[in-house]
Amino acid sequence: MFNSLSDRLTATFKNLRGKGRLTEADIDGTAREIRRALLDADVAVPVVRAFVAQVKERALGLEVSESLNPGQQVVKIVNEELVGILGGETRRLNLAKNPPTVIMLAGLQGAGKTTLAGKLAKHLKAEGHTPLLVACDLQRPNAVKQLQINGERAGVPVYAPHPGVSSEFDTATGDPVSVARDGIAEAKAKLHDIVIVDTAGRLGVDTEMMNQAANIRAAINPDEVLFVIDAMIGQDAVNTALAFQEGVNFTGVVLSKLDGDARGGAALSVASITGKPVMFASTGENLDDFEIFHPDRMASRILDMGDVMTLIEQAEKNWDKGEAERMAKKFADQEDFTLDDFLAQMAQIKKMGSMKKLLGMMPGSQISRQQLEQFDERQIDRVEAIVRSMTQHERVAPKIINGSRRARIAKGSGVAVSEVNQMLERFTEAQKMMKKMAAGGGMPGMPGAGKGAARKAKAKGKGKKQQQKFGNPAKAAQAELEAKTKKAAAPAGSAFGQGAQEDFDPSSLNLPAGFEKYLGK
């Protein structure tokens, strides 16, 4: 959603790189470009004015003029001010001292309240809570049914004593205030520690909707009132937020549809205009496309600095520890990286979500914005189909895959032979990289890579009497074996007491398990 804003700000900061000193004209020009970028992104005008004024004031101060790298210092200032308008710090839910904690959702129709209720319930369930969903939207057609489906998908019970209306021509007959009150009683009776109340909305702000929301709030006295706002509605987001703040006095904001392609800057203005923090963000249609809103991380994403912390959290949540330990042991034993391992690693990555999102969180990525947008998520499925079309022997020993086998694999996976060739080429490169890492060479292109080879060359250049060192344990063991074999081949009566014709037994070396394959045994 913030691609356009991110590109504009990144291009603006490029002009500051390499400058040892920034003039007032440089700062004025940068402030002007930042103002244009924010206005083009639909950020509210009062927020833009305050933001640019603060950035300009700090940029003209001593923290930039006395900095060794003034360009980077300006980027740091913009990042800090951006974090400020996004809310400053991460805000968590305030849980009630005496359960259940009551959370009320409010917002316009179509903002995504019902979907968000299911996402929030699943998120809280994963944290160890026992949420209950309460269906108080009795006016939108099939809203109750939608909440029941979302609750079933999330594995959370739904309290829905009234079915609501099934078409726009039906007249709503149920009392949402009574449903909300009875839902709290149901949660207490069945020992649910959190209650999420889904309320009705309208296409626009009106008195009837606000009165109903205010009556529900008065009846259930919620611990949190979350205002759900569509991040794609433009400048009207600020007016809608102010109307709900006056009508129901919400305690936090949830941004929905952040995966859209609209400019979305107005949604970022809500926290600054209302003084209420953004607490959660909805980033897709699936129930798992939901995350806690971190202002500092969102600012980093907007400034194209990546979001490593969220990436790590997703990896920790979805990565199979048993699989990771198996791969680590395989590296330690220096076993070959096979296509079965390749398939298992791809399955782990797919658990983490969209590849576009994961690549977008990577800082300093060499992938351009255009390449990222053109990335085909189905490519992973095609690679998986190719590997699954191979025999078990082909997965372990891909070198045997000749032309006829490639044609059979392509036909079985429904792709062209050229795609099979490309996949095998990429796998060969990955296999080489894994071997290099297992041998102690490090990741190619990363700091420290190649140090193992440098140590080998240094050891080789020393005197003959000094023992030669190897970065690869297998080579070291083999060298030790060859040296002892030569000693074993000495004439009878030597100090070693072995004749030249006797067979040497490698088991006498007490080598680690797994080295027999390097000895030809």
Side-chain angles (χ1 to χ4, degrees), residues 420-461:
V420 177
N421 296 336
Q422 291 172 4
M423 192 282 295
L424 289 173
E425 288 174 4
R426 289 197 297 268
F427 170 74
T428 302
E429 293 300 319
Q431 197 176 41
K432 289 179 182 177
M433 182 183 71
M434 294 299 181
K435 285 182 178 179
K436 184 175 179 63
M437 292 172 62
M443 182 77 76
M446 296 296 288
K451 288 183 178 179
R455 285 194 297 267
K456 291 180 189 178
K458 187 176 180 180
K460 188 175 181 180

Side-chain angles (χ1 to χ4, degrees), residues 75-123:
V75 175
K76 178 176 178 290
I77 291 172
V78 172
N79 181 63
E80 291 174 353
E81 294 299 324
L82 195 55
V83 171
I85 69 169
L86 292 175
E89 57 185 20
T90 305
R91 159 82 147 76
R92 304 282 181 170
L93 286 172
N94 289 324
L95 301 178
K97 294 181 180 179
N98 297 317
T101 300
V102 181
I103 302 172
M104 173 181 168
L105 303 182
L108 294 179
Q109 184 174 315
K113 292 191 303 299
T114 305
T115 302
L116 184 106
K119 292 181 177 183
L120 180 59
K122 186 174 183 180
H123 170 75

Side-chain angles (χ1 to χ4, degrees), residues 368-385:
S368 67
R369 184 81 64 190
Q370 184 177 4
Q371 289 175 315
L372 193 60
E373 291 300 323
Q374 292 175 351
F375 179 80
D376 187 2
E377 297 275 1
R378 295 172 297 178
Q379 182 66 25
I380 297 178
D381 297 328
R382 286 195 286 270
V383 171
E384 185 177 354

Side-chain angles (χ1 to χ4, degrees), residues 476-486 504 506 509 511 518-519:
Q478 191 171 3
E480 185 180 355
L481 173 61
E482 290 174 358
K484 293 192 176 184
T485 303
K486 289 180 181 179
F504 177 73
L509 296 178
L511 296 174
Y518 297 106
L519 308 179

Side-chain angles (χ1 to χ4, degrees), residues 168-246:
E168 58 183 347
F169 303 105
D170 295 343
T171 303
T173 56
D175 183 9
V177 178
S178 298
V179 172
R181 191 183 295 112
D182 294 343
I184 305 299
E186 176 78 3
K188 290 180 179 178
K190 295 189 176 180
L191 302 179
H192 292 280
D193 65 341
I194 291 181
V195 181
I196 301 172
V197 181
D198 181 30
T199 63
R202 295 288 191 281
L203 294 177
V205 177
D206 62 18
T207 305
E208 182 183 356
M209 176 189 65
M210 283 300 176
N211 288 338
Q212 184 184 107
N215 292 336
I216 292 176
R217 174 173 181 134
I220 63 177
N221 190 25
D223 300 282
E224 294 279 10
V225 179
L226 302 183
F227 171 53
V228 184
I229 185 169
D230 184 347
M232 301 173 66
I233 66 174
Q235 285 290 339
D236 197 42
V238 174
N239 297 330
T240 305
L242 291 174
F244 271 91
Q245 184 182 25
E246 182 179 353

